[in-house]
Amino acid sequence: MGKTLFEKVWDAHVVKQLPDGQALLYIDLHLVHEVTSPQAFAGLRFAKRTVRQPAQTFATMDHNVPTVNPTDVRDAIAKKQIETLMENCREFNVSLAGLDSPFQGIVHVIGPELGLTLPGKTIVCGDSHTSTHGAFGALAFGIGTSEVEHVLATQCLWQNRPKTMRIRLNGSLQPGITAKDVILGLIAKNGVNFGTGYVVEYAGTLIPQLSMEQRMTICNMSIEFGARAGMMAPDETTIAYVKGRQHAPRGEAWEAAVSEWKSLVSDADAQFDVDIEFDVDSLEPQVTWGTNPGMGGSVNGVVPDPADAATETEARAIRQALEYMGLEPGTKISEIPIQHVFIGSCTNARIEDLRLAAAIVKGRNVAEGVHAMVVPGSKQVKQQAEEEGLHEIFLAAGFEWREPGCSMCLGMNPDIIPAGERSASTSNRNFEGRQGRGARTHLVSPAMAAAAAIAGHFVDVRTFQSEGVTA
Amino acid sequence: MEPLVKHEGKVVCMNRLNVDTDQIIPKQFLKRIERDGFGEFLFYDWRYQADGTPNANFELNTARAQGATILLADENFGCGSSREHAVWALADYGFRVVIAPSFADIFFNNCFKNGVLPIVIPTDVRKELAETHAKGQWERATVDLEAQVIETDCGHRIVFEVDAHKRYMLLNGLDDIGLTLQYEADIRAYEANRKAYQFVY
């Protein structure tokens, strides 16, 4: 029987298989950030251990970083955490894209950008959105701080082999529909835990049509339905993206790598534990109305009624969500007014996302009473956008143009939404309090966020006349 | 790490689906660089009103829940962020066992690294436990990791299963890194044969 893509990558990284089912898995790349690493480095120091492979470890700071002036960290506890990462990287000889580096940015944006993320690698980071890197055919997943310490010390992790799921995404992105709508639509249909215990491979006719950035948006949110990781087989698009990047192989090593990568595809007779399909042709722009990423649907729909829920527990969950969100059943999604727009995060802050939003915004103005901001995913994305003049489009429309960081995705920095106010956000989580205590988050694509900023409420982006807005 | 062999304690029941780690420990408390002291921030936004006074309606704030060390949770507990701070907060507050029909993967793994036992039980069993607990029919439970059995003080007896490796580590309070370093020769042999794409250039 053939192997799946996941099985090929997994099998190539097993250092030791124990009879009790645990495998010691070799980790090729360990990405590190300021929030989930200090206790791990402290553990190393306490046990007098070292970082086994500093060259395979790469750090940046993103969660805490202020986006107006990154070096002006006024929160003393956050400042201490940032300084601790700098000290730890110095002491343990780990490369750091610090606040003064031209390569600093959100860890899941800079990994691919710098060519650290490569097909076939095992990649971990103390962050659940590490699933992003699976877009390259890497096996990439988030870990806790104890595991961060374990990888620092041993370059390995104990893992039980996960089950496998294939999700065939079939069809094409229709005008105005983005990769974000695909992943939000998939989760709205199947729920927030249908992937728990599985590594997912996204297949189907849609994938070869997608750019790497669109693929990353989909893999990024794999964790939002519980999947351990989301993967896509590398193809010519992947190889073209990786080629020539700063830390990618060159010369003979490049040729050797490419020939390995060509085999990273699920065999025709490979078996998955679960196989599902999702048709994207009929997909409409998505907006979440509740407090988890599965509580969402079409912009042309209405807020659901808890009375229609299948079980009492679900009805209670919907009631609780609507109470938090300040919404009434039956309200048209397109009639919900918003006060904040956030375009950013590891899900949607890459150059294509910013181009898409800029195309909608161009020549228009942010609605009165709306605070809108764009936070590029990295210094390199910011620079690229400025070379293309995108920042001028945003600024002219009334958006703020900020420095890179996680920003309002999780409000660990000064970018917080006041209680009771509502955002259209291109981030990945609409949990209670995620963007600030009492803040109400609606997840959308960059195109939908840009349109909401102009309209002051949600609006079907397909009704916006705009040049070059196709996906 | 503190071993967990058998634990007897008071149970608190939380009937909420998809409790995410942002609720267990809100982000404003993730800036600390220590591992301890997170218990006072556990479920902060649910436990306290905006003015800092306790929210009397929250499950953990009821008189009945005081001193609870076992949390009976619901589906997909611990979803969302990978923050181990969520487990640190639960453990620091006093919880040693979390029982639920399902857990998110990363949270589930993090529990074992911190001497907290997550136990998966069938949905219908969870329902029975929650309903009888709500009616005041029982308060306490004994969790025996060696025998893999939960017994409530009104006579429920539930057999559960824990992965053999994780069970062994928790029973003995062992640190994974120590175990892994026994395989140093295997790791070195593996590293000697790595392929071109596995390196950072």
Side-chain angles (χ1 to χ4, degrees):
Chain A
M1 197 175 68
K3 284 183 179 183
T4 65
L5 163 63
F6 157 73
E7 287 161 342
K8 289 178 184 182
V9 178
W10 174 277
D11 290 349
H13 288 84
V14 174
V15 170
K16 185 80 186 175
Q17 179 69 53
L18 297 188
D20 68 5
Q22 289 279 308
L24 188 63
L25 207 62
Y26 192 77
I27 303 302
D28 295 325
L29 176 66
H30 186 188
L31 300 168
V32 173
H33 65 80
E34 78 277 19
V35 177
T36 56
S37 68
Q39 294 88 349
F41 282 110
L44 282 191
R45 202 176 285 117
F46 181 75
K48 298 191 166 33
R49 288 170 174 145
T50 57
V51 175
R52 183 184 180 89
Q53 292 289 2
Q56 288 165 239
T57 312
F58 195 93
T60 193
M61 41 204 59
D62 50 12
H63 285 63
N64 273 345
V65 177
T67 57
V68 174
N69 179 1
T71 53
D72 183 20
V73 186
R74 293 181 192 173
D75 176 337
I77 308 173
K79 189 164 195 264
K80 175 77 179 161
Q81 201 170 54
I82 287 172
E83 287 168 355
T84 301
L85 180 65
M86 292 163 71
E87 285 161 24
N88 286 332
C89 288
R90 255 196 311 272
E91 179 180 342
F92 292 95
N93 201 25
V94 170
S95 294
L96 169 70
L99 293 176
D100 55 352
S101 163
F103 307 118
Q104 178 266 339
I106 304 174
V107 67
H108 308 307
V109 175
I110 70 170
E113 199 171 69
L114 295 173
L116 294 162
T117 302
L118 297 177
K121 274 189 179 181
T122 44
I123 302 175
V124 296
C125 174
D127 191 284
S128 60
H129 293 110
T130 309
S131 56
T132 310
H133 309 265
F136 291 79
L139 174 60
F141 52 92
I143 57 177
T145 299
S146 293
E147 291 175 315
V148 169
E149 182 180 342
H150 191 278
V151 177
L152 290 172
T154 68
Q155 206 58 36
C156 295
L157 264 186
W158 291 103
Q159 292 283 299
N160 282 316
R161 193 188 183 97
K163 293 176 283 184
T164 57
M165 178 188 290
R166 177 168 53 191
I167 302 178
R168 285 199 186 91
L169 301 172
N170 290 325
S172 303
L173 295 179
Q174 302 303 312
I177 305 300
T178 70
K180 183 66 164 288
D181 300 299
V182 172
I183 190 68
L184 285 175
L186 178 75
I187 302 172
K189 184 180 175 195
N190 294 286
V192 286
N193 61 353
F194 78 100
T196 304
Y198 293 87
V199 166
V200 167
E201 178 177 343
Y202 298 97
T205 57
L206 174 69
I207 307 299
Q209 306 170 48
L210 299 180
S211 70
M212 287 317 297
E213 299 197 355
Q214 292 171 314
R215 296 181 195 188
M216 283 188 254
T217 297
I218 292 175
C219 286
N220 172 275
M221 288 190 68
S222 302
I223 186 68
E224 307 310 335
F225 59 89
R228 193 90 180 98
M231 301 176 80
M232 294 175 182
D235 59 9
E236 291 304 325
T237 304
T238 320
I239 292 170
Y241 178 99
V242 168
K243 191 172 186 183
R245 291 190 182 260
Q246 197 172 336
H247 295 289
R250 290 173 196 283
E252 272 179 42
W254 171 257
E255 298 305 326
V258 171
S259 98
E260 287 282 340
W261 294 338
K262 303 240 159 154
S263 68
L264 292 179
V265 54
S266 289
D267 296 326
D269 57 344
Q271 295 286 313
F272 292 83
D273 295 309
V274 174
D275 229 319
I276 69 169
E277 295 199 43
F278 186 70
D279 176 28
V280 305
D281 279 331
S282 56
L283 200 60
E284 306 217 315
Q286 301 287 303
V287 182
T288 64
W289 48 261
T291 52
N292 71 47
M295 291 174 157
S298 165
V299 64
N300 298 308
V302 297
V303 174
D305 191 334
D308 300 334
T311 66
E312 176 45 34
T313 315
E314 276 175 44
R316 192 166 55 234
I318 295 175
R319 271 197 302 272
Q320 192 188 337
L322 295 189
E323 187 186 343
Y324 180 85
M325 294 296 289
L327 292 172
E328 294 296 327
T331 303
K332 283 184 176 172
I333 299 289
S334 59
E335 287 176 0
I336 300 173
I338 49 120
Q339 294 81 44
H340 298 266
V341 172
F342 171 57
I343 297 177
S345 87
C346 60
T347 311
N348 278 132
R350 298 182 180 83
I351 190 68
E352 290 175 15
D353 298 317
L354 304 194
R355 285 179 190 145
L356 187 55
I360 306 272
V361 166
K362 192 170 187 178
R364 297 188 165 105
N365 289 310
V366 170
E368 206 179 312
V370 173
H371 167 248
M373 61 196 270
V374 182
V375 184
S378 71
K379 293 257 181 71
Q380 292 202 81
V381 170
K382 181 166 187 269
Q383 191 188 339
Q384 173 77 30
E386 289 178 354
E387 282 168 15
E388 295 179 18
L390 303 185
H391 64 311
E392 283 162 5
I393 294 172
F394 287 119
L395 287 166
F399 276 82
E400 287 190 48
W401 178 249
R402 297 285 189 91
E403 297 293 328
C406 296
S407 184
M408 207 176 258
C409 176
L410 86 169
M412 269 194 76
N413 45 72
D415 303 338
I416 288 175
I417 294 173
E421 298 191 10
R422 207 178 279 291
S423 76
S425 177
T426 67
S427 55
N428 40 54
R429 288 190 175 133
N430 48 349
F431 296 154
E432 287 184 28
R434 176 84 178 176
Q435 296 189 300
R437 185 170 181 147
R440 295 161 172 166
T441 306
H442 298 268
L443 303 177
V444 289
S445 74
M448 285 289 290
I454 306 304
H457 55 86
F458 294 107
V459 56
D460 187 334
V461 68
R462 296 171 300 181
T463 63
F464 260 61
Q465 295 294 319
S466 185
E467 260 184 39
V469 183
T470 51
Chain B
M1 188 178 75
E2 195 182 345
L4 191 147
V5 180
K6 200 178 209 181
H7 177 78
E8 195 278 333
K10 195 194 252 190
V11 176
V12 60
C13 182
M14 188 177 260
N15 295 316
R16 298 170 189 249
L17 297 174
N18 305 313
V19 171
D20 59 75
T21 55
D22 272 81
Q23 307 317 317
I24 300 175
I25 184 84
K27 75 274 166 200
Q28 63 267 36
F29 305 113
L30 304 185
K31 298 169 191 166
R32 300 170 69 248
I33 59 171
E34 297 84 17
R35 252 177 203 265
D36 53 1
F38 285 96
E40 59 179 302
F41 311 123
L42 178 71
F43 292 117
Y44 193 86
D45 288 354
W46 284 346
R47 211 165 126 201
Y48 300 101
Q49 321 259 23
D51 64 5
T53 58
N55 173 6
N57 296 323
F58 181 58
E59 289 90 326
L60 294 193
N61 290 341
T62 61
R64 192 181 173 203
Q66 299 315 301
T69 58
I70 300 173
L71 178 62
L72 179 59
D74 211 335
E75 294 278 0
N76 200 27
F77 188 80
C79 61
S81 154
S82 65
R83 59 188 70 165
E84 196 161 318
H85 313 64
V87 181
W88 298 339
L90 285 164
D92 191 54
Y93 183 87
F95 286 113
R96 294 299 317 271
V97 178
V98 186
I99 303 170
S102 62
F103 292 91
D105 281 338
I106 305 176
F107 175 85
F108 187 77
N109 284 333
N110 286 344
C111 283
F112 286 98
K113 316 288 183 194
N114 293 282
V116 174
L117 172 62
I119 301 176
V120 178
I121 58 171
T123 307
D124 55 337
V125 175
R126 195 267 168 203
K127 189 162 179 266
E128 156 71 16
L129 286 180
E131 284 174 2
T132 51
H133 188 268
K135 289 178 190 154
Q137 293 176 10
W138 62 285
E139 295 296 331
R140 306 181 70 86
T142 301
V143 174
D144 185 339
L145 179 56
E146 203 131 41
Q148 301 187 106
V149 170
I150 305 169
E151 286 178 324
T152 68
D153 61 10
C154 79
H156 298 103
R157 187 172 188 280
I158 300 142
V159 177
F160 62 91
E161 251 188 275
V162 176
D163 168 81
H165 176 82
K166 292 189 168 75
R167 178 165 161 264
Y168 174 80
M169 300 299 280
L170 193 50
L171 282 171
N172 295 285
L174 291 177
D175 160 11
D176 265 344
I177 298 178
L179 171 78
T180 308
L181 292 174
Q182 295 171 16
Y183 297 96
E184 171 64 25
D186 297 281
I187 301 173
R188 209 175 307 145
Y190 181 90
E191 287 185 327
N193 289 303
R194 273 173 297 167
K195 303 218 160 73
Y197 68 84
Q198 295 185 266
F199 292 86
V200 169
Y201 293 84

